[in-house]
Each structure stands twice: as structure tokens, then as C-alpha cells.
């Protein structure tokens, strides 16, 4: 495979001509980190793609600016058979190169600074950072021992020897670092404490917050607070996990939302929206009512959205195209009403107060957000 020209084209696409990340993207053989991956087939199921058996498709995938899913549920593409059709959510991937570069920029890296790449995945960020900073300054951590071991072996074949650690970052992060850059989404609260504890005073954190698209950056002060802002940038990272897979979804509540009448029935004000892909709305929903899970289905012009919450609340909104939806809701929270209040604010003000907000993360992991007269806390 003539990968060098393809990597150079990718670098030209995802970096600027004077960027210090241009050379790493152009000279790291990304295809070697992702020999196999999962892709959706025509029926929407996960189908295995094997790079060495289809070199042109392998090169096209590896050197395009796209995320390549490498693990679905508990099944890694490396261990799969061609006829496997795994169910569940993606649990590991090779992140979009442009997003990797953006996260590295948010990290404000420099010569001699120690970096923790939290969320090894396929090893792309670790490779780029090792190329630029020197592998002796780079540590990569993931909860999955297979990912850590395999990425370490593939990086070593490229000539990189960063420190590789297997650990649940929500429980323990070994070592201390000048910079921590996360390519998984961290949940505010107790699970964030180990990460904050591993950051040196004066160090910088760049991470996304769980169930949002918000990228938070900040500098650690000597009192332990990390102070910064929500970047005017977004990312859709997977959640951190503590086990081999994510906990079961709220399947029983989703079943209720699909099949029952509910306690209240009304007509919604706004068209049905795929909340998971309406990133700013999804982020504000998590800030307003943490823990909501979302679903969406469409068939022809019919669209249905679902919201469920661990407290037993659920909502279903259905409509044809952009007609006002029929809304069914149950439980202590009227979840579609919560979403409509957010949409009211967006329409009235033209924006939501999230992007650009001030952030203060206290040592207990609570994230305090503020902008003008608006303020809230996550993880308390």
C-alpha cells in the first residue's frame, strides 16, 4: 500500500499548513492501527471489514477523516468472524483524525511536558503525540487490557514506546501529568476525581463531558480547582466505562415508552427531533435533567423520539415529518416538556448558554458552569 501519499492528503485536510500536527498526521501509518473494523451494512447491522483482504478499501477508510468502530459490545473486530453481527453500542474506535488534532490543540502541549492520553482506543492520539513530543513523555490509558496491549504492540512496530496502562480511570489513574487529554467522555462527579488528582498543579485538562457534546478545558490551580471554559467546539465521544461493556440500557422504560398510553397526552409545539444528533439540545438536556437516555426511529415520513430517565419518567413524541407531534409522557418528570422549554429558550434567545461558558471543576468532581446570569452544577 502506498500509504504515504494518502496520509499526506489527510494531513492537508485536517491540519493547517503551519500546524505542528501536520507532520505527525502525514507520517503515522494510521492503517496499521486499524486492520479490521466494523461498519454498517445496507440493513443497518454491523458488518466486519478486513483491511488486508481489501487494500484499496482499507486505505480509503484509514486515510479519510472518519471514525472507525473497532469494538461493538464486547466483540473486537480483531477477534470477529466474517458472519458475526454484534449487537449493542460501539465500545471502542479510531477517532476522526481531525477531532484527535483538535483535542491535542485544546491540550496546549509543549516540549518536555508529560501527557496522559485517556482512552487509548486504536492508539491514534498516542501515535501523533509520541511523534511530536517523544514517546518518553506520553502515557496512554484504557480500561480494556486488549486495547492497551494491542495498541502498544502496533505502536512499537512503528518505533514508538509510550507507557501503556490498563486502568479504570473512574477509580484510579496512576501517575501525575502536566497535560491530560481525553478521547472518552467523563461524567462529572465522583468518577472524575481520579483524573483531577492525576493532574499536576498548573496542568491542563481537555475532555468532553458525558452525554453531552461539550469540550471542557481548564488549568489546575493550587487549591485543586480546574478553571477554564466550555470550548466553542463540540465532540461526540463514547462514555467512560468501568467494565467490559456499558451497563444495560433502560430497556423496560423504552418498552413502556413505545407501547403504552402514559399518564398524559398532548400536542407538542415543535417537530420531532433526533435528540442524540441535535448536539446542543442534547447537551442542554443533560445539564438540565442529568441521566436521560434518548432514542429515535423513522419510517418514511413518520418520526418518533423517545426520552427515558432512571427515575421512571418517559416520553414519546410521534409525528409525520414536521407536523406538531402527539406526545405521551409518564413519571415524575415530564421529559418532553423539559426538552420543549429548552427549545423555547433557543428560539427566544437564538442560542443556549453552554458554548463559551465558564467552568470551575472542584476536587470532588463537580462541574460548575456559568455564563452571565445563568449558572448550574453537574455531578453534585
Amino acid at each position: 500500500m502506498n500509504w504515504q501519499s494518502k496520509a499526506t492528503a489527510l494531513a492537508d485536510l485536517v491540519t493547517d499548513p503551519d500546524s505542528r500536527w501536520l507532520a505527525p498526521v502525514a507520517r503515522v501509518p494510521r492503517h496499521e492501527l486499524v486492520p479490521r473494523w466494523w461498519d454498517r451494512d445496507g440493513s443497518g447491522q454491523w458488518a466486519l471489514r478486513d483491511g488486508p483482504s481489501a487494500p484499496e478499501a482499507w486505505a480509503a477508510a484509514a486515510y479519510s477523516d472518519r471514525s472507525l468502530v473497532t469494538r461493538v459490545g464486547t466483540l473486537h473486530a480483531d477477534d470477529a468472524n466474517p458472519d458475526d453481527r454484534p449487537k449493542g453500542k460501539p465500545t471502542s474506535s479510531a477517532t476522526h483524525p481531525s477531532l484527535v488534532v483538535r483535542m491535542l490543540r485544546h491540550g496546549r502541549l509543549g516540549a518536555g511536558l508529560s501527557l496522559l492520553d485517556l482512552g487509548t482506543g486504536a492508539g491514534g492520539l498516542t501515535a501523533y503525540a509520541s511523534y511530536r513530543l517523544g514517546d518518553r513523555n506520553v502515557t496512554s490509558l484504557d480500561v480494556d487490557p486488549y486495547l492497551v496491549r494491542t495498541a502498544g504492540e502496533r505502536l512499537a512496530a512503528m518505533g514508538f514506546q509510550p507507557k501503556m496502562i490498563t486502568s479504570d480511570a473512574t477509580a484510579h489513574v496512576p501517575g501525575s501529568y502536566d497535560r491530560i487529554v481525553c478521547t472518552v467522555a467523563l461524567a462529572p462527579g465522583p468518577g472524575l476525581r481520579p483524573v483531577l488528582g492525576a493532574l499536576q498543579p498548573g496542568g491542563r485538562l481537555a475532555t468532553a463531558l458525558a452525554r453531552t457534546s461539550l469540550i471542557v478545558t481548564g488549568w489546575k490551580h493550587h487549591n485543586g480547582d480546574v478553571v477554564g471554559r466550555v470550548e466553542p467546539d463540540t465532540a461526540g465521544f463514547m462514555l467512560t466505562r468501568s467494565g467490559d461493556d456499558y451497563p444495560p440500557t433502560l430497556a423496560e422504560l423504552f418498552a413502556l415508552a413505545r407501547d403504552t398510553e402514559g399518564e398524559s397526552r398532548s400536542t407538542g409545539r415543535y417537530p420531532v427531533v433526533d435528540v442524540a444528533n441535535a448536539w446542543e439540545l442534547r447537551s442542554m438536556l443533560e445539564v438540565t435533567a442529568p441521566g436521560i437516555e434518548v432514542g429515535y426511529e423513522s419510517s418514511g415520513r413518520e418520526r418518533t423520539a423517545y426520552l427515558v430517565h432512571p427515575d421512571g419518567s418517559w416520553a414519546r413524541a410521534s409525528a409525520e415529518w414536521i407536523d406538531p407531534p402527539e406526545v405521551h409522557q409518564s413519571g415524575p418528570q415530564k421529559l418532553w416538556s423539559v426538552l420543549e422549554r429548552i427549545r423555547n429558550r433557543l428560539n427566544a434567545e437564538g442560542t443556549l448558554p453552554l458554548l463559551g461558558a465558564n467552568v470551575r471543576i472542584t476536587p470532588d468532581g463537580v462541574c460548575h458552569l456559568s455564563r452571565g446570569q445563568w449558572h448550574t452544577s453537574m455531578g453534585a
Side-chain angles (χ1 to χ4, degrees), residues 204-264:
R204 183 171 174 85
L205 172 69
T207 186
L209 298 182
R211 295 189 180 88
T212 79
S213 62
L214 305 179
I215 298 174
V216 169
T217 62
W219 302 94
K220 186 172 182 178
H221 292 216
H222 284 282
N223 67 354
D225 289 357
V226 173
V227 179
R229 68 169 183 166
V230 178
E231 294 289 340
D233 189 7
T234 55
F237 287 122
M238 299 175 191
L239 303 177
T240 52
R241 53 186 172 86
S242 297
D244 202 34
D245 197 356
Y246 294 115
T249 59
L250 303 174
E252 293 182 2
L253 277 178
F254 273 114
L256 284 174
R258 286 187 175 91
D259 301 329
T260 57
E261 184 71 13
E263 298 168 355
S264 68

Side-chain angles (χ1 to χ4, degrees), residues 72-117:
V72 175
T74 60
L75 184 58
H76 199 287
D78 290 348
D79 299 325
N81 296 313
D83 57 350
D84 285 333
R85 295 292 184 270
K87 306 293 184 181
K89 297 180 179 179
T91 48
S92 181
S93 69
T95 302
H96 295 75
S98 61
L99 181 52
V100 172
V101 170
R102 281 159 42 209
M103 292 304 295
L104 288 165
R105 287 172 173 164
H106 288 313
R108 304 278 186 87
L109 308 183
L113 297 174
S114 58
L115 167 69
L116 175 65
D117 168 17

Side-chain angles (χ1 to χ4, degrees), residues 13-87:
L13 177 66
V14 303
T15 68
D16 296 324
D18 63 347
S19 173
R20 289 173 289 183
W21 295 109
L22 188 147
V25 177
R27 295 173 187 170
V28 165
R30 185 177 185 241
H31 69 285
E32 294 181 8
L33 297 172
V34 196
R36 302 177 112 202
W37 66 98
W38 295 107
D39 207 352
R40 296 285 191 182
D41 63 16
S43 67
Q45 292 185 304
W46 292 109
L48 184 66
R49 304 292 185 241
D50 180 75
S53 66
E56 290 187 8
W58 187 15
Y63 296 102
S64 61
D65 188 24
R66 57 175 288 200
S67 177
L68 300 177
V69 173
T70 54
R71 192 175 186 269
V72 175
T74 60
L75 184 58
H76 199 287
D78 290 348
D79 299 325
N81 296 313
D83 57 350
D84 285 333
R85 295 292 184 270
K87 306 293 184 181

Side-chain angles (χ1 to χ4, degrees), residues 5 74 102 163 301:
S5 62
T74 60
R102 281 159 42 209
K163 186 174 182 179
R301 292 173 60 85

